[in-house]
Amino acid sequence: MSTATPTFDLVIAANRLPVDRVVGPDGEATWRRSPGGLVTAMESVMRGREGAAWVGWAGEPGEAPEPFEQDNIYLAPVPLSEDEVRRYYEGFSNDTLWPIYHDVIVPATFHRGWWNTYRDVNRRFAEAVAKVVSPGGTVWVHDYQLQLVPAMVRELRPDVRIGWFNHIPFPPVELFAQLPWRRALVEGLLGADFLGFQRTADAENFLRACRRMLGMTTKGDTVVFTPHGSGAQERTVRASAIPISVDFRGLDQLARTPEVIARAKEIRESLGNPRVLMLGVDRLDYTKGIRHRLKAYEELLHDKEISPPDTVLVQVATPSRERVEAYRQLRQEVEATVGRMNGEYSDIGSPAVQYLHHGYGREEMAALFLAADVMLVTPLRDGMNLVAKEYVACRTDLGGALVLSEFAGAWHELHQSFVCNPHDIAGLKQTIMYAINTPEPERRRRMKALRRRVADHDVRRWAERYLEALEMAPRKPQRQRLQHDQAEQTAHSEDRANRAVADLASETGGR
Ligand code: ADQ
């Protein structure tokens, strides 16, 4: 008996499916929704739709599971062999593209074999997408692992609308030019109708790459070109910034629950109720500036500007890409530094740095955010940095202070944070001390403004704005508002409600 593959008006393609396979004590495997903003964002845009499909890798090498449905999403797993994981994911995506797209903080590795596998895997994703998208449907491709997918889908399904969103920065042309496959990457992306970026500067970098390396013409935020192939029509692609955000309301509500408030209090107590609790939460990635942060902190301890138990730093460093050499090295360095600092500056029961190399649930993360007086977000380069926005969303008490690197995309929206340049250790130390010593009314004023911004621009609004831009591309959405009036009205009333919540400091407070 043959069953036809169902098709969908909206198809998401991302490296990973939004679920993790978990094996229960009885040995039975189930799928658990993975936490994360993208899933929340998609939930909101899928409301009111017939359903949608998500194409991605299920997270384990080898044969892919059969497609299945979860929470009204049709999940279509793409198989990756052990070797493909090594070449396409760990190799080309994370050891070639990631460093080039993050200012070459560590050198990039180039292997022609990795590129060939990247292309083959992108083709497999494109074929899986082409199979499940309805006639005239919409395809939304995510991130740097799938930059060839837009053109490949267009070739297979010229009838559909194709968008791509880059979660990481797009590099300046001088760095992008190092890639031997730069032309193929740009042509891959130009298969889309709309390309979304975190910052305007990223979109501009992309447009500059089109001009400088492919001799294309750009006009405002669009690029005009004629693709290869006989009879190909001139196409116009729009590239613009639509910064991603977090589920403001969900986090705000979570941070107001008695359990999270009690847990925040407990965290502070277990650290000896310090006057100042500082917090860093990052994937253990060299882009996140963890080494720079620790250096600044160590110097402050050395200078006796701060000392435990009065001040404690909690550094959560989520395990990440541990099979890539640069990540293994980073882990060793960070752990050696933390060990040295604790050896030098801690006392029994009062550590200078509490280092945690684990993943945590949403509640525990919210409690940590609520417990922290100063949040240190100091990346050397970061597409957005959701941690900064999550911290703000959880500060229902208007407490806390956000130290934020000017190299995080988030800084372009969160100007009321305490801005720092993580490369400038002396400046970073000053900013940390400034954040600690700023009087409470001023800190509250800043937090209130930050919360307004995140409440107004939450993840639901991001997804709606993105899909609207994709639908209108290459035109800008403002010109054709009529058919979006209803959606906009809903979004605006939700924004107003969010803003009211943002302004309402919790009576119970954070601790
Ligand atoms: P990431 O580099 O992964 O994302 P980030 O934006 O900070 O970085 O998101 C990390 C997420 O993981 C946050 O939601 C955070 O709360 C969560 N997290 C971190 N440590 C955790 C832990 N120990 N336990 C549980 N959760 C943890 C990429 C880009 C970013 C961009 C995002 C979204 O590099 O610049 O903001 O995509 O577009």
Side-chain angles (χ1 to χ4, degrees):
M1 194 182 77
S2 83
T3 44
T5 307
T7 60
F8 301 86
D9 286 346
L10 176 64
V11 177
I12 310 291
N15 174 57
R16 277 298 310 270
L17 285 175
V19 287
D20 295 313
R21 188 167 176 269
V22 280
V23 181
D26 53 358
E28 190 147 331
T30 51
W31 294 98
R32 192 182 47 202
R33 206 185 95 159
S34 43
L38 201 50
V39 189
T40 316
M42 291 310 134
E43 263 175 5
S44 66
V45 295
M46 281 166 191
R47 237 184 278 138
R49 285 179 192 261
E50 287 287 289
W54 191 308
V55 171
W57 179 44
E60 281 170 28
E63 227 171 276
E66 284 300 309
F68 57 101
E69 200 175 308
Q70 183 146 327
D71 299 334
N72 202 28
I73 310 179
Y74 178 85
L75 300 168
V78 174
L80 291 182
S81 68
E82 184 84 53
D83 200 42
E84 285 167 341
V85 173
R86 203 171 50 73
R87 290 156 171 263
Y88 144 79
Y89 180 68
E90 291 163 1
F92 198 77
S93 298
N94 290 328
D95 210 2
T96 307
L97 293 174
W98 183 268
I100 292 281
Y101 284 39
H102 288 89
D103 292 356
V104 199
I105 296 165
V106 306
T109 310
F110 297 150
H111 282 307
R112 281 164 281 184
W114 289 359
W115 161 254
N116 291 338
T117 307
Y118 180 83
R119 208 186 37 211
D120 294 348
V121 169
N122 270 242
R123 166 116 7 232
R124 193 174 306 151
F125 271 80
E127 282 164 0
V129 167
K131 223 160 103 184
V132 294
V133 61
S134 308
T138 298
V139 175
W140 187 357
V141 184
H142 289 266
D143 236 356
Y144 62 104
Q145 301 95 348
L146 303 180
Q147 292 180 85
L148 306 179
V149 169
M152 290 172 169
V153 171
R154 182 161 300 281
E155 203 183 301
L156 296 165
R157 292 293 304 271
D159 58 302
V160 300
R161 252 195 177 242
I162 305 165
W164 176 78
F165 182 79
N166 196 27
H167 290 260
I168 67 173
F170 197 88
V173 67
E174 291 77 9
L175 295 180
F176 186 70
Q178 288 185 17
L179 285 166
W181 311 280
R182 60 202 190 182
R183 196 182 175 98
L185 286 166
V186 171
E187 286 174 349
L189 292 175
L190 288 174
D193 296 286
F194 177 68
L195 300 167
F197 296 87
Q198 301 279 28
R199 301 171 311 152
T200 302
D202 297 315
E204 285 172 355
N205 284 344
F206 173 76
L207 292 167
R208 213 168 289 131
C210 292
R211 282 199 301 274
R212 291 252 201 101
M213 283 173 339
L214 283 87
M216 292 173 174
T217 310
T218 63
K219 197 172 162 208
D221 58 6
T222 59
V223 50
V224 186
F225 67 103
T226 308
H228 300 302
S230 57
Q233 299 264 313
E234 185 180 88
R235 299 192 54 237
T236 303
V237 176
R238 181 164 175 252
S240 184
I242 302 196
I244 199 168
S245 193
V246 297
D247 174 17
F248 180 86
R249 281 217 121 183
L251 289 166
D252 177 279
Q253 279 165 7
L254 181 65
R256 288 175 198 270
T257 57
E259 293 78 14
V260 167
I261 293 169
R263 177 66 190 141
K265 195 161 170 261
E266 200 177 279
I267 289 171
R268 291 187 70 91
E269 274 163 10
S270 65
L271 292 164
N273 270 323
R275 186 177 63 85
V276 183
L277 197 169
M278 293 204 219
L279 176 66
V281 173
D282 317 79
R283 256 188 325 99
L284 192 39
D285 194 301
Y286 50 80
T287 59
K288 303 290 182 184
I290 303 169
R291 282 181 288 215
H292 295 64
R293 183 184 315 161
L294 290 176
K295 179 154 184 60
Y297 199 79
E298 189 169 21
E299 287 192 15
L300 287 172
L301 288 167
H302 177 262
D303 302 345
K304 300 201 165 42
E305 293 256 19
I306 55 173
S307 58
D310 181 73
T311 304
V312 178
L313 169 63
V314 175
Q315 176 63 55
V316 180
T318 322
S320 184
R321 304 176 191 170
E322 300 207 300
R323 297 206 309 188
V324 179
E325 181 53 29
Y327 288 76
R328 274 201 294 261
Q329 261 181 33
L330 173 73
R331 180 172 176 190
Q332 275 173 12
E333 262 181 65
V334 166
E335 294 184 354
T337 308
V338 169
R340 189 181 62 232
M341 285 164 75
N342 276 335
E344 189 81 24
Y345 300 103
S346 298
D347 245 327
I348 291 174
S350 73
V353 184
Q354 178 84 56
Y355 172 78
L356 304 155
H357 187 245
H358 315 288
Y360 290 102
R362 279 178 86 228
E363 289 76 11
E364 185 71 359
M365 294 295 282
L368 278 164
F369 289 142
L370 203 48
D373 301 295
V374 179
M375 181 81 216
L376 301 175
V377 180
T378 60
L380 307 178
R381 179 59 72 196
D382 213 336
M384 174 54 58
N385 196 294
L386 295 181
V387 170
K389 291 186 173 180
E390 287 165 358
Y391 178 65
V392 167
C394 286
R395 293 319 301 234
T396 53
D397 57 348
L398 303 184
L402 174 64
V403 171
L404 181 58
S405 161
E406 62 189 271
F407 299 103
W411 180 75
H412 294 263
E413 295 175 78
L414 305 180
H415 287 289
Q416 293 81 7
S417 56
F418 293 85
V419 63
C420 70
N421 167 7
H423 296 280
D424 171 10
I425 300 296
L428 178 54
K429 287 163 66 183
Q430 271 171 14
T431 308
I432 293 173
M433 292 315 295
Y434 181 46
I436 292 176
N437 294 325
T438 295
E440 202 188 322
E442 168 62 10
R443 286 168 42 145
R444 288 174 72 85
R445 188 193 65 74
R446 286 180 181 238
M447 187 54 74
K448 196 166 169 175
L450 292 172
R451 284 174 60 76
R452 269 184 169 244
R453 170 73 206 187
V454 182
D456 270 354
H457 295 80
D458 70 346
V459 74
R460 256 167 289 175
R461 176 132 185 235
W462 167 75
E464 274 159 10
R465 280 183 65 205
Y466 184 90
L467 288 172
E468 191 185 353
L470 174 55
E471 197 181 319
M472 295 289 157
R475 283 166 300 147
K476 287 194 171 71
Q478 291 92 311
R479 297 192 200 133
Q480 292 252 335
R481 279 226 104 94
L482 274 177
Q483 60 257 62
H484 291 284
D485 274 1
Q486 211 185 342
E488 278 289 289
Q489 259 172 21
T490 319
H492 284 160
S493 61
E494 279 182 9
D495 288 348
R496 273 198 299 276
N498 274 0
R499 208 172 310 147
V501 170
D503 290 348
L504 182 72
S506 164
E507 292 294 309
T508 35
R511 53 178 185 272

